[in-house]
Amino acid sequence: MRLRNIRGSREAIAASGHVIHEEETRAGSWHEIFGNGHPIHVEIGMGKGKFLMELAEKNPQINFVGIEKYSSVLIRALEKMEQEEKPLSNLVFIRMDAENIGKVFAEGEVDRIYLNFSDPWPKDRHAKRRLTSREFLARYGQILAPGGRVEFKTDNRALFDFSVESVKEAGWKLQTVTYDLHGDRELMKGNVMTEYEERFSAMGNPIHKLVACR
Ligand code: SAM
């Protein structure tokens, strides 16, 4: 993801009705924010938001929250939202570092977490920053409802292998593990491609996926 500074992106984000500001969020208030009791699904590191916009359009009975660390990336998602013919009332964004996710959602408030093509942080000393590290799983464990799950897709084999081990070490259950998602007709049912998934699968890279629950 290009992280060029985009002039005015902070101001545009501050003014956008599609963004909930981290400092305004209150753990436990998400059903109030959406104005209904529908399940809450979160994507962490949503990039330009293609995956979530498609999911939100297809699933009006689910509320979606997209988390993205950088304004320069989030602004692209906001631009796409402005182009939507029908506004998506079941999708909002937060610009924040997912490290603080436990401050934004209450215990058991989230039904599903999506991690798609997360940054690999290849150096060992940065392993804790990987969004599938044990440290992050512990954060997800706090906010996931009973029966909630984490779904992770990537084409990065080293990160995927690390993630499988990390899930096991954290004592979570692996419901699904595939090294070739696009070759599995069953698992492909309802699969929504992310921007990176489209790009890397077009290059011939196999896509790996795991689903984990506590
Ligand atoms: N999920 C998208 C996809 O599959 O097309 C984008 C993938 S991109 C490689 C990873 C994104 O995660 C980037 O936009 C990056 O800024 C964001 N990101 C990385 N670490 C993050 C964190 N700790 N909190 C929030 N977003 C993060």
Side-chain angles (χ1 to χ4, degrees):
M1 191 69 60
R2 251 175 107 201
L3 295 178
R4 169 168 77 77
N5 241 343
I6 295 174
R7 201 180 304 159
S9 57
R10 278 182 188 271
E11 292 77 2
I13 288 166
S16 171
H18 304 298
V19 177
I20 303 288
H21 300 285
E22 189 182 351
E23 58 284 1
E24 291 162 13
T25 55
R26 194 163 35 86
S29 68
W30 284 94
H31 289 121
E32 241 173 79
I33 289 173
F34 283 106
N36 59 48
H38 297 172
I40 292 170
H41 292 190
V42 176
E43 185 187 9
I44 301 178
M46 58 156 211
K48 298 177 193 165
K50 172 198 180 288
F51 172 79
L52 275 190
M53 281 181 217
E54 231 172 289
L55 275 186
E57 216 165 293
K58 287 184 175 153
N59 300 281
Q61 74 297 352
I62 296 172
N63 296 321
F64 294 92
V65 181
I67 294 180
E68 171 52 50
K69 192 167 166 181
Y70 294 107
S71 310
S72 55
V73 182
L74 176 55
I75 189 77
R76 298 302 179 213
L78 294 182
E79 285 166 3
K80 262 196 239 163
M81 282 288 265
E82 300 301 337
Q83 287 160 15
E84 285 281 322
E85 275 175 31
K86 241 176 61 196
L88 292 167
S89 58
N90 60 333
L91 171 60
V92 296
F93 306 122
I94 317 180
R95 195 208 58 73
M96 64 175 277
D97 190 317
E99 272 193 17
N100 301 323
I101 199 164
K103 294 188 188 142
V104 165
F105 297 97
E107 208 181 310
E109 198 172 15
V110 174
D111 294 277
R112 193 173 300 173
I113 295 174
Y114 291 107
L115 307 170
N116 292 314
F117 296 80
S118 309
D119 294 342
W121 291 106
K123 292 190 177 131
D124 282 348
R125 69 172 192 277
H126 292 147
K128 284 184 186 172
R129 298 186 193 175
R130 297 174 194 151
L131 292 180
T132 50
S133 66
R134 273 196 297 167
E135 289 77 7
F136 271 100
L137 287 174
R139 295 179 181 114
Y140 307 151
Q142 272 178 22
I143 61 170
L144 272 180
R149 63 197 210 221
V150 172
E151 298 200 5
F152 172 53
K153 294 195 277 190
T154 184
D155 68 322
N156 184 314
R157 181 62 190 260
L159 178 63
F160 191 71
D161 288 343
F162 166 86
S163 307
V164 168
E165 282 315 306
S166 163
V167 166
K168 288 183 189 162
E169 281 169 23
W172 290 42
K173 290 190 250 345
L174 280 164
Q175 284 181 343
T176 301
V177 177
T178 178
Y179 294 87
D180 183 15
L181 172 64
H182 291 194
D184 187 318
R185 216 188 274 180
E186 266 312 297
L187 290 178
M188 276 303 276
K189 282 184 188 158
N191 183 59
V192 170
M193 295 251 252
T194 79
E195 205 177 326
Y196 272 59
E197 185 172 356
E198 278 185 346
R199 192 186 303 168
F200 291 123
S201 60
M203 286 162 61
N205 296 4
I207 305 302
H208 319 312
K209 178 175 180 177
L210 68 78
V211 178
C213 60
R214 276 168 305 163

